[in-house]
Amino acid sequence: MSAPTPISTGHEGTVRDQFRSYIQRVRGGDMGSLPAILALVVLAALFASLSPYFLTTGNIANLFVQASELTVLACALVFVLLLAEIDLSAGVTAGSGMAVFQVLFGVLGWNWIVALLLALAAGAVIGAVIGFFVSRIGVPSFVVTLGLFLGLQGFMLLLLGDGGIYRLEQPELKAIMNSNMPVWAGWAMLAIAVFGSFGLGLSDRMRRTKVGLPTRPFIMLIFKVAAIAILGGLVVLLLSVNRGQALLAIEGVPIVIPIVLIILVVGTFVLDRTVFGRYIYAVGGNPEAARRAGIKVAQIRLYAFIICSTLAVVSGLLHASRIGSIESTAGRTIVLEGVAAAVVGGVSLFGGRGRLAYAAVGALVISIIDNGLGLIGLPAGANFLITGGVLVAAATIDALSRRRSGVSIMRT
Amino acid sequence: MGTPLIELTNVIKNFGPVDVLKGVNFTVEEGKVTALVGDNGAGKSTLIKGLSGVQPFDGGKVMFRGEEVNVRSPRQASAMGIEVVYQDLALCENLDIVQNMFLGREEKFGGTLDEAAMEFAAQKALQSLSVRTVKSVRQKVSSLSGGQRQTVAIARSVLRNAKMVILDEPTAALGVAQTEQVLNLVRRLADNGIAVLIISHNLADVFEVADNVSVLYLGQMVAHLKVKNTNRDEVVAYITGSKSMTGVA
């Protein structure tokens, strides 16, 4: 009864075959963050030619630090965007978490670690409230989170008082965005990344071989690891050069970078390799099919909102660390940039498609526009116009690629 | 012949004052394709919803392999080995074939998804059905044709060790070549020892693939026929009610 040749698994063939099938997928509308990466290269080249400061090591370090806050927020939003939901309150959730921190730490004088953990817990509670209304009652997330967007602004004002601005004094927290790791730690981080991805690739190959499945050409794994080593090495090298004045050395990878990388790696692991992650994609792709497969759809939605709001508080911490203060008006506008970053990076607003890495690429694009336009001295108005234009372009690519892959036709 | 896989005796279902199934007798055998035909409103959907536990029957006896059972939920039906492939297929288009086939029953390896084992099992399940139309088991479902999707949905039930597969209008939305592929697949399913129940309006399909055909007319089973002993005109006569047979077993 069995067919003579087994059905392909996508791992067969030479490097050339693999490359060809990748091109085919891209032409079929599965572009991922390719447009965003191209935009990143074009923008970098453009700003480098317009401003002599753009490619200085100081500015590159600055760019990464600026982007980190947005990256974490965009990653948070990916969890709900994958379900075709939205969280408009993520920015003020971030602010509210820090307001809770300020009350516990600044006013009540609690230990800063405890206060920080409770601030994250406050985020989780906000996420649970959103998740409850969306998944159990069926209120559209747009409306629930719009309500919370307003409500949490009031919450922050009540906690911190009108126009309240408090300095963030804790040195460990200020250091996150304003200090750098020793140079050796940057290289150690790179080594962990390189060996980690190589080890994971190897163990995946061994598992496939053990089961009796074909594996991709080994050289492709080498390519992948080499790409991480070279690109990562370049960044670490640039950040290891002294970018300060003669007397005071500023060198090393900013502390925030490994924090963002850990969030990216752990989040990607959850989405790609756990049952929970698989269910997020399934619910985002077709909730009815997920329900019939026995997935507890409401529960998945609830958890996604909890993850989103908790991670949002982390981005709030990064923001407070960078500006050195906690404000009662924090986070009102950044959420839209967060959504923009995710969409620009290739996360679909229609649900079911996207990865955390896309959100990170998108956040870099948005940040590079901000950074570059500031350097060449264009007015702030131009910044908004260009960022808005990029967002509409990205959403258009998303809608068109959906049409090409036939999804929008099938789903009525 | 041995005991049939499923035997319904005098099964009743009503929705308020409306009697939809008025004492239906019906059997499905392993390794055979049984077609359930009847006009709209005859009670076909109600019958399969009862069998799959979505809307349990109100009365009558259901025997599964000679033992009386009471199917109250889809989960229970699934545990017994009854799988339904609905017309809308219920696949996630953003996931690939392997991911869809294992959705809700993922295999794990040290707490994480065991992609390799799932890929291997999916490949084998498709091979056991001699599926040649799909290129790769890692293709996204959004890139598949209607017939290929139907294939994936059917193969999924095989993967779940189904003893009986209920197919609701499997060829309704398909072109000629794809219909042929799906019918071949249905045949191989039965050849693998599975009891197949196919609901169809298309008598050409029924005569091509089925061994037995049962006709529902206004909530009553009016005929059990062997396909090789009957013809189209006779079946149509039963469906439209212009012919009726008494004392159907």
Side-chain angles (χ1 to χ4, degrees), chain A residues 7 207-208 273 278-279, chain B residues 106 113-115 119 123:
Chain A
I7 302 153
R207 181 82 195 133
R208 289 184 68 87
R273 290 175 179 257
R278 176 66 39 86
Y279 290 176
Chain B
E106 287 79 6
L113 293 168
D114 190 351
E115 296 290 351
E119 197 170 301
Q123 207 182 21

Side-chain angles (χ1 to χ4, degrees), chain A residues 52 69 87 109 112 144 176 187 218 258 327 352 373:
Chain A
E69 208 178 306
D87 184 358
W112 67 272
V144 177
I176 297 174
W187 292 110
F218 190 67
E327 307 168 351
L373 289 182

Side-chain angles (χ1 to χ4, degrees), chain A residues 1 6-9 30 207-208 211 213 269 273-274 278-279 281-282 285-286 289 292-293 352 405 407 410, chain B residues 88 90-92 94 99 104 106 112-116 119-120 123 126-127 130 135-138 142 149 188:
Chain A
M1 278 307 292
I7 302 153
S8 131
T9 61
D30 191 6
R207 181 82 195 133
R208 289 184 68 87
V211 174
L213 288 168
F269 184 87
R273 290 175 179 257
T274 68
R278 176 66 39 86
Y279 290 176
Y281 283 101
N286 186 347
R292 284 200 212 152
S405 62
V407 177
M410 289 306 300
Chain B
D88 61 359
L91 299 171
C92 293
N94 59 331
Q99 292 170 338
E106 287 79 6
T112 59
L113 293 168
D114 190 351
E115 296 290 351
E119 197 170 301
F120 187 70
Q123 207 182 21
L126 288 169
Q127 262 175 57
S130 305
K135 221 168 57 197
S136 158
V137 290
R138 286 298 183 183
S142 60
R149 287 172 198 224
R188 281 194 294 272

Side-chain angles (χ1 to χ4, degrees), chain A residues 29-315:
Chain A
D30 191 6
M31 279 185 284
S33 60
L34 206 57
I37 291 171
L38 288 179
L40 205 57
V41 172
V42 170
L43 285 167
L46 184 72
F47 289 131
S49 68
L50 289 175
S51 163
Y53 298 107
F54 182 76
L55 281 185
T56 58
T57 51
N59 189 53
I60 289 172
N62 219 347
L63 181 62
F64 278 116
V65 171
Q66 282 175 0
S68 62
E69 208 178 306
L70 192 58
T71 302
V72 174
L73 188 68
C75 286
L77 287 163
V78 168
F79 283 90
V80 294
L81 290 175
L82 281 177
L83 299 176
E85 306 282 355
I86 198 154
D87 184 358
L88 293 176
S89 65
V92 289
T93 299
S96 299
M98 292 324 289
V100 168
F101 173 82
Q102 167 60 26
V103 169
L104 296 178
F105 172 69
V107 180
L108 300 176
W110 292 19
N111 176 287
W112 67 272
I113 296 176
V114 175
L116 195 59
L117 289 176
L118 286 173
L120 291 172
V125 169
I126 293 169
V129 169
I130 302 171
F132 173 78
F133 279 104
V134 172
S135 65
R136 306 282 166 184
I137 307 202
V139 187
S141 57
F142 183 86
V143 179
V144 177
T145 59
L146 188 60
L148 273 174
F149 173 70
L150 299 171
L152 289 175
Q153 289 183 31
F155 176 72
M156 281 190 282
L157 283 175
L158 290 177
L159 277 187
L160 299 179
D162 292 348
I165 299 181
Y166 299 88
R167 286 177 57 135
L168 183 68
E169 301 286 5
Q170 192 63 32
E172 288 89 342
L173 297 182
K174 278 179 79 173
I176 297 174
M177 297 291 268
N178 298 300
S179 303
N180 305 305
M181 299 193 299
V183 169
W184 65 265
W187 292 110
M189 182 185 85
L190 180 68
I192 292 171
V194 168
F195 285 110
S197 61
F198 186 63
L200 197 63
L202 265 190
S203 88
D204 282 350
R205 286 179 70 88
M206 275 159 61
R207 181 82 195 133
R208 289 184 68 87
T209 312
K210 199 175 162 200
V211 174
L213 288 168
T215 48
R216 292 201 170 93
F218 190 67
I219 189 82
M220 288 184 68
L221 177 62
I222 302 288
F223 276 153
K224 192 180 141 194
V225 174
I228 293 173
I230 292 168
L231 277 175
L234 201 65
V235 172
V236 173
L237 185 67
L238 283 172
L239 295 177
S240 298
V241 177
N242 181 7
R243 53 183 179 270
Q245 306 300 325
L247 280 175
L248 186 70
I250 301 177
E251 55 186 14
V253 176
I255 292 173
V256 66
I257 304 251
I259 295 178
V260 172
L261 284 181
I262 288 171
I263 290 173
L264 277 172
V265 169
V266 172
T268 302
F269 184 87
V270 168
L271 284 177
D272 280 2
R273 290 175 179 257
T274 68
V275 172
F276 173 71
R278 176 66 39 86
Y279 290 176
I280 286 199
Y281 283 101
V283 172
N286 186 347
E288 176 57 20
R291 192 187 64 77
R292 284 200 212 152
I295 297 170
K296 290 175 181 144
V297 174
Q299 206 177 324
I300 299 291
R301 287 211 170 99
L302 178 69
Y303 289 150
F305 278 105
I306 291 176
I307 292 173
C308 172
S309 298
T310 311
L311 269 182
V313 174
V314 175
S315 98

